[in-house]
Amino acid sequence: MTLRAVTSLNQGWTFKQVDDDSSSFLPVAQFPTNVHLDLMHHKIIPDPFIGKNENVVQWVGEKAWIYKLSFKSPKSRGEKSVLAFDGLDTYATVLLNGKQILKTENMFIPERIDVTKILNSGSDNTLEITFDSTWFIGQKLVERLPDHHWGCWNGDPSRLAVRKAQYHYGWDWGPMLMTCGPWRPISLETYDSRISDLYFTTNVDKSLKSAEVIAKADIEGDGSEVQFEISLEGKVVSTEIVRVSKGFASATFLTQNPELWYPATYGRQPLYILTAALQSGETILDTVSKHFGLRRAEVIQRKLEDAPGTSFFFEINNIPVFCGGSDWIPADNFIPRIKPEKYRDWVKLVVEGNQAMIRVWGGGIFEEKAFYEACDEMGVLVWQDFLFGCGNYPANDEFLDLVKREATANVKIMRHHPSIVIWAGNNEDYQYQETENLEYDPEDTNPSNWLKSSFPARYIYEKLLVDVTKELVPDTYYHFGSPFGGKDTRDPTVGDIHQWNVWHGTQEKYQNFDTLSGRFVSEFGMEGFPSIKTIDGYLPRGCQDSDRYPQSSTVDFHNKADGHERRIALYLVENMQYKFDPIENFIYCTQLMQAECLASAYRLWKRQWKGSGREYCAGALVWQMNDCWPVTSWAIVDYHLRPKHAYYTVKRELAPLTIGLKRTTTTVPANRYTRVDVKTTYRIEMWASNLSLRKRTVAVHLKAWDIVSGKEIYNKILHSAFTLEPNRSVEITEFDLPGQDDPLFSNTFTSPSPSPSDSDPSLRTVVAAYLTDAEAETEGNGAQLARYVNWPEPLKYAHLQKPKDLKVQIVCGGGAVEISADVPLKGVALERRGGDEVVWEDNCVDVVPGEVVRIGAKGLVEGMSAESGALDVKFLNMMGMGYGE
């Protein structure tokens, strides 16, 4: 008996079009791969991400393609030989040495085929994989089920019939690119015995002082013993040797004072390693290792104080967590070219953005292991959807069998990750059911009846996936779908909601997000253009392209959202003055609008996280974190990992300590008949959020300025020692808008034809609130802990001024930039002109007189001067005031 050997079959692959006699086999671009990558590599097709090339390459998805490999197998000594296919996209026929060994119908199911009797031991072998057109197969499958109510949002309804990444059919943020090919690794395994699965259950005691780990191994072959070992940071914690019985071995470990895994915002992420070694006597036959974290993870749904419905929050190691975060889509249409390092860069952006959770959306893929490993290592909670989205899926026997195999295989692959704290059955399929009035009777608990209804996929979400998760991950919460809860998916008092009445739906003003809350908001968003560098990258002639303007056909082509022109225009015209030319200034305005919108949502919803029994809103996940191609979308970081301004405003709102302000207007008539004798009072509500786990004593400082003159009109410490209880938001005070009686706002003007708004304090007053360390404050040098600047809204009414004394200075040897100005400036954004891109710690900041705002930076050069034109500086109503012009 010998150790299991794995040979990666990643060299020497060739491919060609099946029905083209004139074509010949060409080497692949890489491996794993897909057909578009290989065709681009040989310049047979142009890059689909450039211009409108997406249209030019549609023929690829309607052809069959063959991949071929000749390889020499090891000399057999009687071992078993297996070909392992981690992922074939999607309808594949596999031949080894001319004999069919496999047909696939699902790109998400890894396959293992015993080829012991087919393999030419010690000599040459030929492996051929033919990929048929998933598009055509899907169309035919739809025809076979004429009684099913086929329908979906985004893409063609035939996508519902096939188990392929749904976003490949196009979405309202992505192109239609029907890929095929060996998209995940292929290997040859030879062994006498192996560990077919290594898994475990963990139970951390409520006290957090002890933990139980039950290690389990499924065995194929004749190995007699398994040695289990648990280690941490290179040191062995526990070990045990157990006998194999009926292909199974298990050992129970008890740990006192375990090192617990926490989200990044609350602690460290120690990862234990569980290793299983399969033995026969003194011979090691196979070894498998998996990382895991010890933690308690629960979804708490209980009655609330003074509010209807129930809570929906995540508790990790007894800590209720406000889950500010984002939704994740596949980071490319061509997954094989995403390197592990890029996944780590993405997750690093999540963590650095103060995000606690990321939701892997159901229209994409079960992500690559590098993604989940990065989330484990960096402390990001993962909400994992099963792969169904925005449609009415069939539930015939063949389809159910595919779904069960897919779910079982992937839950087994992913279940050891401590970052995954919830599985959800689908994305918005229940919403589709409601919109189309498909049959759904919540009182009917007979799964057989569900299969006969016009919404048969209910069986998948409420029976099949329930059974799979109950068996394989019984300690991880399963949610029927996202959104789901209450009397329908719009019920804000139970479960989660997708809040799309800003942008979609009723198109509410984003300043009113506090009235659009839910117990957990797992989607909401606003579009913003990507960086001009990203746009120049997809325009065929770059910065010289004739379509380099916001309303061009190419720029519109790179926005897949229906009605995006009207919606972007609506929210821009409601909120700020803007111009289309130059395009850089228009981009700035859309990004500022997106930034203000999303920051408003997080600020107002986090206000509703008020402590035990009052978790009125327990999380908000912005749609979306990322893009799969260069596009104008809801993403807060574009395809090239360039953060939009919203990334930074969200980062600020999700900081452990924040302070918030909201303006209100009260109008009181002198009597019930008058329309003229009316008194209007402008008020400001103030609150603070402390997401940390310790009580903080802070000083609360308030200042106000006149927008037009830059004069400071108010400066007062409201509280010298205000207590912020841990892990909640607290109301601080409510007060009149400063300056309402200031003579500055009288009807005496120096300008010859003043505007009435010049005397309106609600449109001229900027208010800033600060939290500083109260203990240090008594010594006169309290460290600033939080800051928020509140502006008149809509911003378009404010008479923002051009500064006479704007200073942007590069300091600390290029490690930071300091900004100051003599008048209030809204949304000061920095960008380096030319050269390498700068990594900013913050951006799109508000500047008020008398302050210096410092922004950390990486990528600036010591001695570089802002005045030399190295930096481009933009701010609202005076964009593009670049130095050196």
Side-chain angles (χ1 to χ4, degrees):
M1 288 185 156
T2 57
L3 182 67
R4 180 175 67 100
V6 179
T7 303
S8 178
L9 302 181
N10 59 4
Q11 300 291 327
W13 285 91
T14 59
F15 82 107
K16 71 181 291 290
Q17 185 178 326
V18 170
D19 61 357
D20 185 356
D21 294 336
S22 65
S23 68
S24 57
F25 278 99
L26 297 170
V28 299
Q30 61 177 70
F31 201 88
T33 189
N34 69 36
V35 69
H36 289 79
L37 292 174
D38 297 328
L39 292 171
M40 280 192 287
H41 176 71
H42 291 283
K43 297 184 170 45
I44 296 172
I45 63 169
D47 186 341
F49 290 2
I50 303 299
K52 302 175 185 177
N53 288 341
E54 175 196 347
N55 293 336
V56 178
V57 304
Q58 289 306 309
W59 64 272
V60 175
E62 297 190 5
K63 300 295 182 182
W65 301 89
I66 184 170
Y67 281 77
K68 185 176 181 180
L69 173 69
S70 294
F71 67 97
K72 191 170 184 177
S73 64
K75 181 72 173 177
S76 175
R77 289 175 291 182
E79 310 99 327
K80 186 174 184 178
S81 296
V82 170
L83 279 174
F85 303 88
D86 289 358
L88 299 176
D89 177 13
T90 293
Y91 286 89
T93 302
V94 183
L95 277 65
L96 178 62
N97 299 329
K99 184 174 181 178
Q100 180 178 310
I101 60 170
L102 174 66
K103 285 183 73 73
T104 69
E105 302 173 282
N106 189 319
M107 72 178 285
F108 307 117
I109 298 178
E111 303 281 2
R112 296 178 59 85
I113 305 299
D114 185 346
V115 295
T116 307
K117 296 180 180 180
I118 307 172
L119 201 66
N120 294 326
S121 173
S123 60
D124 293 336
N125 296 269
T126 301
L127 184 62
E128 296 174 293
I129 311 174
T130 300
F131 294 90
D132 291 316
S133 168
T134 301
W135 171 262
F136 286 143
I137 291 173
Q139 299 291 324
K140 294 173 183 177
L141 289 172
V142 168
E143 292 177 351
R144 292 180 194 171
L145 295 174
D147 296 332
H148 180 66
H149 184 102
W150 295 99
C152 63
W153 300 321
N154 295 294
D156 186 83
S158 65
R159 69 175 173 82
L160 306 172
V162 299
R163 297 310 297 148
K164 176 177 176 60
Q166 301 288 269
Y167 81 109
H168 288 171
Y169 284 78
W171 222 264
D172 54 8
W173 36 257
M176 179 179 181
L177 291 167
M178 296 294 288
T179 60
C180 72
W183 74 293
R184 280 183 168 162
I186 299 174
S187 58
L188 173 66
E189 295 184 22
T190 56
Y191 56 89
D192 293 299
S193 295
R194 74 176 184 115
I195 299 170
S196 58
D197 195 12
L198 173 63
Y199 53 110
F200 49 84
T201 57
T202 63
N203 180 30
V204 176
D205 187 76
K206 183 69 173 176
S207 69
L208 307 183
K209 294 181 179 180
S210 65
E212 177 187 72
V213 179
I214 303 177
K216 305 173 185 180
D218 292 337
I219 307 302
E220 178 187 343
D222 297 326
S224 58
E225 293 179 332
V226 174
Q227 179 175 344
F228 292 103
E229 179 184 279
I230 295 178
S231 61
L232 177 66
E233 298 175 350
K235 296 181 180 179
V236 175
V237 175
S238 299
T239 185
E240 186 172 347
I241 298 176
V242 297
R243 299 288 299 176
V244 175
S245 176
K246 298 180 181 179
F248 177 75
S250 178
T252 299
F253 299 92
L254 297 176
T255 302
Q256 300 300 317
N257 300 313
E259 295 283 339
L260 298 181
W261 185 97
Y262 285 88
T265 45
Y266 291 110
R268 296 176 58 248
Q269 297 77 48
L271 292 175
Y272 289 84
I273 300 176
L274 172 62
T275 300
L278 177 62
Q279 302 173 186
S280 178
E282 298 297 320
T283 303
I284 302 295
L285 304 177
D286 193 11
T287 302
V288 177
S289 294
K290 288 186 177 179
H291 288 76
F292 70 97
L294 289 174
R295 48 87 176 129
R296 291 179 61 88
E298 300 176 84
V299 175
I300 307 298
Q301 299 179 79
R302 65 190 181 200
K303 290 185 178 180
L304 294 161
E305 297 178 10
D306 306 320
T310 55
S311 65
F312 190 96
F313 68 89
F314 292 82
E315 188 174 87
I316 310 298
N317 299 333
N318 303 335
I319 300 170
V321 177
F322 181 86
C323 288
S326 55
D327 294 286
W328 172 269
I329 66 172
D332 204 313
N333 275 85
F334 308 134
I335 298 297
R337 69 178 172 187
I338 306 178
K339 304 300 183 187
E341 295 77 16
K342 189 169 186 179
Y343 276 117
R344 293 191 64 84
D345 289 343
W346 274 113
V347 175
K348 186 179 179 183
L349 277 171
V350 171
V351 174
E352 292 177 346
N354 293 321
Q355 297 181 36
M357 174 174 278
I358 196 160
R359 170 174 167 252
V360 180
W361 167 75
I365 63 171
F366 297 110
E367 271 297 347
E368 297 294 299
K369 69 176 184 178
F371 173 84
Y372 299 107
E373 288 174 352
C375 291
D376 292 344
E377 294 169 17
M378 298 187 206
V380 178
L381 300 177
V382 174
W383 173 313
Q384 178 67 53
D385 283 358
F386 284 98
L387 303 185
F388 304 91
C390 299
N392 186 33
Y393 287 84
N396 54 304
D397 290 344
E398 295 84 355
F399 192 81
L400 292 178
D401 179 65
L402 280 177
V403 169
K404 184 174 182 179
R405 291 183 60 216
E406 169 191 317
T408 300
N410 285 281
V411 172
K412 284 184 175 182
I413 290 170
M414 297 162 58
R415 60 183 166 178
H416 65 287
H417 292 289
S419 54
I420 300 177
V421 293
I422 182 173
W423 290 82
N426 65 81
N427 171 80
E428 295 186 353
D429 289 359
Y430 286 99
Q431 282 192 326
Y432 185 84
Q433 169 266 316
E434 292 168 355
T435 302
E436 296 297 313
N437 294 313
L438 303 178
E439 295 166 331
Y440 185 85
D441 180 3
E443 302 300 321
D444 184 356
T445 59
N446 186 343
S448 297
N449 292 339
W450 308 341
L451 291 170
K452 301 170 187 174
S453 73
S454 58
F455 183 53
R458 178 184 181 185
Y459 183 92
I460 297 174
Y461 314 138
E462 299 183 31
K463 175 67 169 94
L464 189 156
L465 295 177
V466 169
D467 292 344
V468 169
T469 54
K470 185 176 181 180
E471 177 187 354
L472 299 178
V473 282
D475 297 328
T476 303
Y477 180 75
Y478 173 74
H479 197 47
F480 288 164
S482 182
F484 189 88
K487 62 181 181 293
D488 58 37
T489 61
R490 298 178 298 278
D491 186 346
T493 68
V494 180
D496 70 316
I497 64 168
H498 291 185
Q499 183 49 268
W500 282 109
N501 280 322
V502 172
W503 182 269
H504 289 303
T506 55
Q507 298 181 357
E508 303 290 332
K509 296 181 184 298
Y510 61 70
Q511 289 85 353
N512 299 330
F513 261 129
D514 51 349
T515 67
L516 303 172
S517 183
R519 298 292 173 250
F520 196 104
V521 185
S522 47
E523 280 191 21
F524 71 101
M526 174 61 68
E527 279 203 351
F529 269 56
S531 164
I532 187 60
K533 295 176 182 178
T534 296
I535 292 174
D536 285 345
Y538 72 65
L539 290 172
R541 298 184 63 242
C543 62
Q544 303 300 317
D545 201 287
S546 60
D547 263 8
R548 195 179 186 262
Y549 61 95
Q551 295 170 299
S552 74
S553 63
T554 305
V555 172
D556 266 356
F557 188 82
H558 283 253
N559 188 335
K560 299 298 186 178
D562 287 342
H564 65 265
E565 303 94 339
R566 296 188 299 277
R567 287 175 171 85
I568 288 176
L570 168 67
Y571 284 100
L572 277 175
V573 78
E574 279 188 345
N575 287 288
M576 59 191 64
Q577 302 174 43
Y578 67 96
K579 296 179 180 179
F580 287 105
D581 186 43
I583 186 174
E584 290 86 349
N585 289 353
F586 181 77
I587 291 169
Y588 167 84
C589 286
T590 70
Q591 288 200 14
L592 179 62
M593 174 188 69
Q594 181 191 36
E596 289 291 294
C597 171
L598 302 186
S600 175
Y602 281 107
R603 184 164 54 251
L604 295 170
W605 289 339
K606 198 169 69 166
R607 183 184 187 183
Q608 298 175 20
W609 175 253
K610 290 183 175 292
S612 180
R614 305 175 69 202
E615 301 94 349
Y616 305 127
C617 180
L621 307 179
V622 65
W623 187 268
Q624 62 215 65
M625 177 65 187
N626 63 319
D627 280 323
C628 65
W629 77 314
V631 64
T632 297
S633 76
W634 298 272
I636 61 174
V637 181
D638 75 24
Y639 172 73
H640 297 290
L641 287 92
R642 295 178 176 129
K644 300 179 187 178
H645 297 331
Y647 172 81
Y648 299 104
T649 60
V650 168
K651 176 181 179 178
R652 292 198 291 270
E653 293 299 337
L654 290 179
L657 286 176
T658 58
I659 188 166
L661 302 173
K662 181 182 178 180
R663 299 188 186 208
T664 62
T665 303
T666 304
T667 302
V668 179
N671 57 67
R672 60 179 177 172
Y673 304 109
T674 184
R675 296 179 298 112
V676 178
D677 190 4
V678 175
K679 181 179 180 179
T680 300
T681 303
Y682 304 104
R683 303 272 290 170
I684 291 185
E685 300 167 357
M686 176 188 287
W687 67 94
S689 300
N690 175 15
L691 296 186
S692 75
L693 300 181
R694 66 185 184 97
K695 184 185 296 186
R696 302 296 298 263
T697 303
V698 298
V700 182
H701 198 171
L702 189 73
K703 296 181 181 180
W705 295 263
D706 170 38
I707 283 180
V708 175
S709 68
K711 176 186 174 183
E712 185 180 284
I713 60 174
Y714 191 88
N715 189 333
K716 185 178 180 181
I717 296 177
L718 303 184
H719 295 277
S720 58
F722 189 89
T723 299
L724 300 180
E725 295 294 332
N727 204 8
R728 69 193 64 191
S729 297
V730 61
E731 302 298 310
I732 297 178
T733 188
E734 183 177 356
F735 53 90
D736 288 342
L737 176 71
Q740 292 184 71
D741 300 322
D742 197 299
L744 185 70
F745 302 127
S746 69
N747 287 320
T748 304
F749 300 101
T750 56
S751 56
S753 54
S755 165
S757 64
D758 285 342
S759 61
D760 186 346
S762 71
L763 298 178
R764 286 191 58 165
T765 304
V766 173
V767 181
Y770 309 84
L771 299 180
T772 55
D773 188 294
E775 294 181 3
E777 188 74 26
T778 60
E779 302 169 7
N781 60 346
Q784 182 173 293
L785 304 175
R787 170 185 185 265
Y788 174 62
V789 182
N790 177 272
W791 299 77
E793 291 194 88
L795 290 164
K796 64 182 180 180
Y797 292 155
H799 291 184
L800 300 172
Q801 301 296 299
K802 178 180 178 180
K804 296 178 181 178
D805 186 21
L806 171 63
K807 295 180 180 178
V808 181
Q809 298 178 318
I810 298 173
V811 297
C812 300
V817 175
E818 292 185 341
I819 310 167
S820 62
D822 57 321
V823 293
L825 299 181
K826 177 65 187 174
V828 178
L830 306 177
E831 186 174 10
R832 181 177 176 180
R833 291 184 174 180
D836 295 332
E837 295 190 35
V838 175
V839 177
W840 303 102
E841 289 184 6
D842 201 358
N843 215 330
C844 196
V845 295
D846 297 338
V847 177
V848 290
E851 288 188 23
V852 175
V853 177
R854 173 177 285 198
I855 297 175
K858 295 179 182 178
L860 297 176
V861 179
E862 186 172 2
M864 182 184 290
S865 167
E867 289 79 0
S868 69
L871 294 179
D872 183 58
V873 183
K874 292 183 174 64
F875 47 89
L876 187 59
N877 287 15
M878 190 56 206
M879 290 79 71
M881 191 173 162
Y883 285 87
E885 293 182 345

